[in-house]
Every structure is written in C-alpha cells, then in structure tokens.
Amino acid sequence: MDFSLMFWGTTSSDTDAAEKYKLLLEAVRYADSRGFKAVWIPERHFNPWGGLFPNPSVVCAALATVTKQIRLRAGSVVAPLHHPIRIAEEWSIVDNLSGGRVELAMATGWKDDDFVLAPNNYATRRSIHVKAIETVQSLWRGEKVSAINGSQKEIEVAIYPKPIQEELPIWVTSAGSLKSYSRAGSGGYGLLTHLLGQTFSELQEKIQQYQAYRVSGGFQTKGNVSLMMHTFIGNDQERVRGLVKKPLSEYLLQSAELGIPVELRSQWDSADASLKKLMIEQAFDRYFDSSALMGTPDICTNIIKKVEKMGVTDICCLIDFGLSSDDVISSLELLAVIKDQMAAR
C-alpha cells in the first residue's frame, strides 16, 4: 500500500498572498522526507473550491525544485480543455526538472463552466479524452503526430525537450462510471477514484471489474488503484470529529453545489437554507463515519487494511479542506507512523 498526498482545497479572497501555498509546500516537503509515494495536484477553474490549482503542471514544476523523491502526479489534467501536444510539452519540462518523477491522471472534466477554455469540446469530451491520452503517450515516446499548421498544411510534430522517462505513467480518473473503469482497465492504465457517491461495497465490485477489463485487454497485473480519501488523524476520536466538522462540512457543501447537474441548479438555489444545512449535517456524519480516513491511528489502520483487501494500491490523502497547517502536519506525523508500520508487515 502506497500513501500519497492530495490537494483540492478551498481558498478565499482575503487569504494572505504569502500564505496561500504554505500548507502545500510544508506538507509536500514533509512527505518527501518521510517516504510518501506521491503528491496529486488537481486542475480546477473559476471557483474557490480547488481554486489554488488551475494548472497542475505549473504547481508541479515548483514542487520539482523543492523535492527529491516524491512522485509528481496530476490529479487530474482535464484533457479536453487542452491540446494534447501542449499537455505533453508542459509535462516533459516537469519531468526534466524533477529527474523523471512525472505521472498523469487524465480526466474528461465535468463542470460546464470550465469549458469556457474549450466550449466546443464539452459535448464530445469523453471521446476527446481517449484520443488525448493516446496522443500524449505517442509524443512522450518520441513519436511524431500529424497536426495542421497556420497555413492549413498538415505537418509532423514532435515535442521538446525530450522527457526523462521513456514511458509516461497514466491514470484514468473516474467518479464511478463503469465506462471510465472500462477505459482504465482495457487500456492498461491506473485508476484514480473516490468515495463520493460510492459505498465501499460498490467500489469493491467496480475494482474487480476494472481488474477484469485489464485481463481482457491483455494485461497481466491487477493495475494501480488510487483512492482519494479526506484524511485527518489524531489521538482522540471526538477531538478529531470536533476539529474537522466545520471545515469538512463547508467543503462538502461547496462540493455538492459544484456537482449539481445543470438542469437541477435552479432547484438547489431556491432550496430552503435550513434544508441545505440538514443535508450537509447528514452528509458529514455519513462521510466521517464511512467514507474518510479520519480518527485515531487504530481506527484509520483498520480502514486502510479494509481498502487494501479491496484492491486499492494507493491512498490519496486529501488534507487541505480547511484545517491549520500545524494541525495537518501533526496528522501527517501520525500517518507516517502508520505508513511505516504497514510497510514493515
């Protein structure tokens, strides 16, 4: 079982500019020194929820210069928003800066507002996603791809600089869709997923299907399954619950608002405030008790063993949901102990 850090937190306009990336830098430096596997950086646009991370390649380029071992992963590049040649070029730079530590999860995207960057791609984003992965991989290997230049002529294009790694490790990001599990498995890619909208039993069944798709695709290994889990560990269960309740509830509210389908947004906006509050309170209780890595070391170790048996190979510990840097680092110290104990079995 690998342990990684994941960032997808919130920021506000009144946050001190000098403090915006303090937690990111402190936590990643700590994780690098304590043998954590990777750090995942998302791509988000035009909203405080994840708003610190509109471009994961830029963030990972900065992290490459202050770390030595930790893998630098996009979690995720929204492939239909960008030309695949540009994706390959940018991440090749980061691969060179980091000495070959780049890995990418690539997603279709879900938020229609994000597609102001590529409005014509929203309806066909799933097919674009598949093609983009193939093109990025070809370019990474040093192959040329056909493209149309400014004179409307077809030319052959290769990327520069040449990346360090001969092959680019790829994950497919899934919110639970069986089609995305199929794409990940049959293509031989890793799988990045979460527990929002999925129970443990549902996730276990889908992991088994992902592994079956890998077999049918001709791949001999079970693959890499990375599971996002909000994480906070402390020595007292009730203190942990008390510390995380307000920030995690606010985080879940923002998450819910962004995930509402276009056709239902007007209903949500007009809903009574007390009803929204009740829904979020219920969501927090359900999430804290059954979908997050939160609590004492013993409780969290049992959860880790549970997801390991399900086929999860990497827990992506999402830590930036509103707690102070000091509290987060204290939690990471306990997590590092658990990580080392798991490795020593």
Side-chain angles (χ1 to χ4, degrees):
M1 175 69 74
D2 291 327
F3 293 83
S4 303
L5 301 189
M6 185 154 207
F7 291 83
W8 203 331
T10 58
T11 186
S12 61
S13 58
D14 59 355
T15 302
D16 186 337
E19 298 293 311
K20 278 186 171 70
Y21 294 96
K22 177 183 177 183
L23 174 58
L24 171 73
L25 293 171
E26 288 186 356
V28 173
R29 285 191 184 105
Y30 178 82
D32 187 51
S33 69
R34 287 300 308 268
F36 283 74
K37 182 68 174 182
V39 53
W40 297 84
I41 303 297
E43 178 181 351
R44 279 293 302 124
H45 299 283
F46 318 124
N47 195 283
W49 193 62
L52 286 176
F53 308 106
N55 190 323
S57 66
V58 172
V59 176
C60 285
L63 295 178
T65 66
V66 296
T67 57
K68 296 180 179 179
Q69 302 178 78
I70 199 165
R71 306 293 292 179
L72 304 174
R73 294 176 178 167
S76 307
V77 172
V78 183
L81 296 185
H82 314 288
H83 198 293
I85 296 174
R86 187 60 185 268
I87 294 173
E89 277 190 334
E90 288 187 0
W91 285 96
S92 180
I93 294 171
V94 183
D95 203 51
N96 278 272
L97 286 171
S98 66
R101 290 186 278 135
V102 160
E103 304 181 2
L104 301 188
M106 298 179 73
T108 60
W110 90 99
K111 193 75 172 67
D112 53 347
D113 288 348
D114 291 354
F115 279 78
V116 299
L117 298 175
N120 295 329
N121 289 353
Y122 186 69
T124 56
R125 62 192 183 278
R126 291 177 179 84
S127 60
I128 292 172
H129 173 250
V130 173
K131 182 61 177 176
I133 292 176
E134 294 171 352
T135 303
V136 169
Q137 285 186 305
S138 294
L139 289 164
W140 197 273
R141 296 180 184 125
E143 300 167 10
K144 292 183 178 181
V145 300
S146 296
I148 304 299
N149 71 7
S151 300
Q152 299 304 301
K153 294 181 179 179
E154 185 174 296
I155 63 172
E156 295 291 306
V157 177
I159 62 165
Y160 300 96
K162 180 182 177 180
I164 300 294
Q165 300 177 96
E166 293 184 1
E167 290 286 337
L168 175 63
I170 295 282
W171 276 253
V172 167
T173 304
S174 173
S177 161
L178 286 178
K179 287 184 178 180
S180 55
Y181 277 67
S182 171
R183 287 198 300 272
S186 59
Y189 306 122
L191 175 70
L192 174 63
T193 190
H194 54 65
L195 285 165
L196 284 172
Q198 300 184 91
T199 64
F200 276 118
S201 60
E202 290 170 338
L203 177 61
Q204 184 171 12
E205 290 178 4
K206 291 175 183 177
I207 290 174
Q208 291 171 349
Q209 289 174 314
Y210 160 74
Q211 293 170 343
Y213 285 126
R214 286 184 62 89
V215 172
S216 64
F219 299 95
Q220 302 302 312
T221 62
K222 292 184 176 181
N224 296 312
V225 179
S226 297
L227 178 64
M228 308 178 209
M229 300 188 78
H230 288 75
T231 301
F232 186 78
I233 303 174
N235 289 314
D236 181 89
Q237 183 73 2
E238 290 309 309
R239 182 175 182 274
V240 169
R241 179 183 284 269
L243 275 173
V244 304
K245 184 169 185 177
K246 183 175 185 293
L248 184 57
S249 295
E250 292 175 351
Y251 187 97
L252 292 173
L253 175 61
Q254 288 184 309
S255 171
E257 290 177 338
L258 279 179
I260 294 170
V262 176
E263 62 272 15
L264 298 178
R265 286 179 195 165
S266 61
Q267 296 180 37
W268 174 263
D269 292 339
S270 61
D272 184 80
S274 61
L275 176 60
K276 291 182 181 180
K277 181 180 179 181
L278 177 61
M279 291 173 62
I280 294 304
E281 286 177 351
Q282 292 173 341
F284 169 80
D285 289 337
R286 182 175 64 252
Y287 204 71
F288 183 90
D289 292 333
S290 63
S291 300
L293 191 61
M294 293 182 173
T296 64
D298 286 345
I299 289 173
C300 291
T301 298
N302 288 334
I303 295 171
I304 292 165
K305 290 178 179 178
K306 179 179 181 178
V307 299
E308 184 181 40
K309 288 180 180 178
M310 291 164 50
V312 172
T313 59
D314 173 37
I315 296 181
C316 313
C317 301
L318 199 157
I319 60 175
D320 62 331
F321 54 90
L323 294 171
S324 71
S325 295
D326 289 344
D327 284 333
V328 171
I329 297 300
S330 294
S331 170
L332 288 181
E333 290 171 351
L334 294 174
L335 180 61
V337 173
I338 295 173
K339 175 184 71 65
D340 293 344
Q341 290 172 343
M342 294 289 290
R345 289 175 301 164

